[in-house]
Amino acid sequence: MTSSFNAVLARNTEKAPMGVGPYSQTVAFSHYNNLSAQLPVDPMTGKLVAGGAKEQAEQCFRNIKAIIESIGHVMDDAVRITIFLKDISDMHSVSDVYSTFFQNYVPTLTVAAVAALPLDALVQVEALLSNGEGTIPNAPQAGDLVKIASNTNQAPTSALSTQSVAFSHYNNISAQLPIDPQSGKLVAGGAREQAAQCLQNIRAILESIAVPFDDIVKINIFLKNLSDIEQVNAAYRAFFPDSAIARAVAYVPARTVVEVAALPMDALVQIEAVVSHGDGTPPQAVEDRHGIVIKAHNTEKAPRCALAMQTVAFSHYNHLSAQLPLNAETNEMVVGDVREQARQCLKNIKAIVESVGHAMSDVVKINIFLTNIAEIDAVDEVYAAFFPGGVPARRTVGVSALPRGAMIQIDAVVANAEGTPPQA
């Protein structure tokens, strides 16, 4: 009997390298394909390509293109590109490569330098892809949905990215730097002032497309210095919750905070947002889209945070906050090595996923942040017990520090087949 529900659809092609770990190259669900971050590995040899950042970036994008074409899509179906660099000074040469793959349209973009990448690569690139046909077996969901790209002069503009790209029931916002859109320069001040400018830029983008600020379901904060987090949180509290309704229910988005090695323009803070899009994109019928609600949830079986919901569902996705290796009962770091910490992070994710009536098999994307990238094999020993089929797409980066002095932090994107009301 053929199911009428959305299906988690994992796929791989021999034309791109298999994952450095138990994960799939791309996992589609509903109207999005989540691609695993691509390293500059030649699929024929299984090794890093020769050369510097330019050559490595070319291979990363060739791998992404091969995956995209293997599932019947094109590069312009990308709605977000995320580029991680070992050295931020390589940004210009990598941007030149990027521009050759996106000549008529540019997706939303995030660029950051991190402490380390798998295989000691200089570049890693990840893509989020629209999926117009959807994943209901043998039943196209909405035909050729329209991708809507938007820019406003009220926020910083860039030739390399579109500020907002909406597809189906989500808007993806380019990572915002603390740039004053009038001057094109970083704002004066420290991390608090820079965080406020990043959030003001996000607000301006949302206002330009008539989307309320509280429609944000996930925030990712990239910090040059994790020690600046309290300054950033002070700015954050001034923006969330934004509306009276959100304040009444104490709604704040899911959130991930990581320290990076460097940011463009030597910024201290960069913030990206994933936004619900209740009216959808054409040709979704009115009755399929109006009044879809955000469903935020916390459980006592996982660590709580006053500045983030554990999971925020909208339409066909749940977005989870990054989980640290904290015991939910004591809120203390678990004792042990990176294996024990990875196990606790994944136990927390499992508790959250199960608290909203889902299973780990519904996870479509995992993001792993490690303070020692060399420990990924040890992490995979634990990881395989939670994802024995290796289905979720994945990103792994090395960072120099994580909150609470953790060795590892993990966040997740989860399929939500039943949708959120009124999509019963």
Side-chain angles (χ1 to χ4, degrees), residues 181-230:
Q182 302 302 314
S183 68
K185 298 179 180 179
L186 292 185
V187 294
R192 180 171 182 168
E193 291 77 15
Q194 289 201 9
Q197 185 64 52
C198 293
L199 291 165
Q200 180 53 45
N201 291 342
I202 291 171
R203 186 196 293 277
I205 293 167
L206 295 182
E207 288 178 347
S208 75
I209 54 176
V211 173
F213 198 71
D214 280 323
D215 281 358
I216 294 172
V217 297
K218 177 74 189 296
I219 286 284
N220 297 314
I221 300 175
F222 301 91
L223 281 174
K224 179 73 168 59
N225 299 299
L226 194 58
S227 58
D228 285 335
I229 187 58
E230 289 308 319

Side-chain angles (χ1 to χ4, degrees), residues 26-41:
T26 177
V27 179
F29 186 79
S30 187
H31 287 140
Y32 280 92
N33 282 284
N34 297 264
L35 270 63
S36 287
Q38 291 300 301
L39 290 162
V41 173

Side-chain angles (χ1 to χ4, degrees), residues 64 190 236 328 336 357 393:
I64 286 173
Y236 197 83

Side-chain angles (χ1 to χ4, degrees), residues 45-282:
T45 66
K47 297 179 180 179
L48 290 183
V49 295
K54 179 178 182 292
E55 291 77 16
Q56 290 200 10
E58 287 172 344
Q59 187 63 53
C60 290
F61 280 106
R62 280 198 295 268
N63 292 342
I64 286 173
K65 188 170 187 283
I67 295 168
I68 287 174
E69 291 179 348
S70 77
I71 58 175
H73 285 266
V74 296
M75 288 294 279
D76 278 359
D77 288 335
V79 295
R80 182 189 293 284
I81 292 290
T82 303
I83 300 173
F84 288 108
L85 303 170
K86 186 70 172 62
D87 187 338
I88 198 70
S89 65
D90 287 331
M91 181 177 170
H92 294 299
S93 58
V94 172
S95 294
D96 289 343
V97 173
Y98 167 87
S99 296
T100 66
F101 284 86
F102 297 101
Q103 296 184 354
N104 301 313
Y105 150 83
V106 284
T108 61
L109 179 66
T110 299
V111 179
V114 292
L117 292 167
L119 302 181
D120 201 27
L122 302 176
V123 188
Q124 181 174 255
V125 183
E126 168 185 298
L128 177 65
L129 200 69
S130 61
N131 189 33
E133 65 273 20
T135 55
I136 290 179
N138 306 315
Q141 287 172 284
D144 296 322
L145 290 169
V146 176
K147 182 169 76 254
I148 300 176
S150 303
N151 286 304
T152 174
N153 290 330
Q154 299 303 307
T157 56
S158 169
L160 293 174
S161 64
T162 303
Q163 291 168 348
S164 167
V165 178
F167 187 80
S168 186
H169 288 136
Y170 276 92
N171 267 289
N172 296 271
I173 309 297
S174 278
Q176 292 300 299
L177 289 163
I179 297 171
D180 179 335
Q182 302 302 314
S183 68
K185 298 179 180 179
L186 292 185
V187 294
R192 180 171 182 168
E193 291 77 15
Q194 289 201 9
Q197 185 64 52
C198 293
L199 291 165
Q200 180 53 45
N201 291 342
I202 291 171
R203 186 196 293 277
I205 293 167
L206 295 182
E207 288 178 347
S208 75
I209 54 176
V211 173
F213 198 71
D214 280 323
D215 281 358
I216 294 172
V217 297
K218 177 74 189 296
I219 286 284
N220 297 314
I221 300 175
F222 301 91
L223 281 174
K224 179 73 168 59
N225 299 299
L226 194 58
S227 58
D228 285 335
I229 187 58
E230 289 308 319
Q231 291 186 56
V232 171
N233 284 343
Y236 197 83
R237 290 186 184 94
F239 284 81
F240 297 104
D242 182 59
S243 66
I245 293 174
R247 287 190 290 273
V249 296
Y251 172 72
V252 283
R255 192 171 87 153
T256 295
V257 178
V258 292
E259 180 174 294
V260 294
L263 292 167
M265 298 181 69
D266 201 27
L268 301 175
V269 188
Q270 181 175 250
I271 301 178
E272 70 178 10
V274 179
V275 184
S276 62
H277 192 62
D279 50 349
T281 55

Side-chain angles (χ1 to χ4, degrees), residues 344-362:
Q344 187 64 50
C345 291
L346 291 165
K347 283 172 63 178
N348 292 341
I349 287 172
K350 187 171 186 283
I352 295 167
V353 168
E354 292 180 347
S355 76
V356 291
H358 285 269
M360 291 295 270
S361 58
D362 292 328

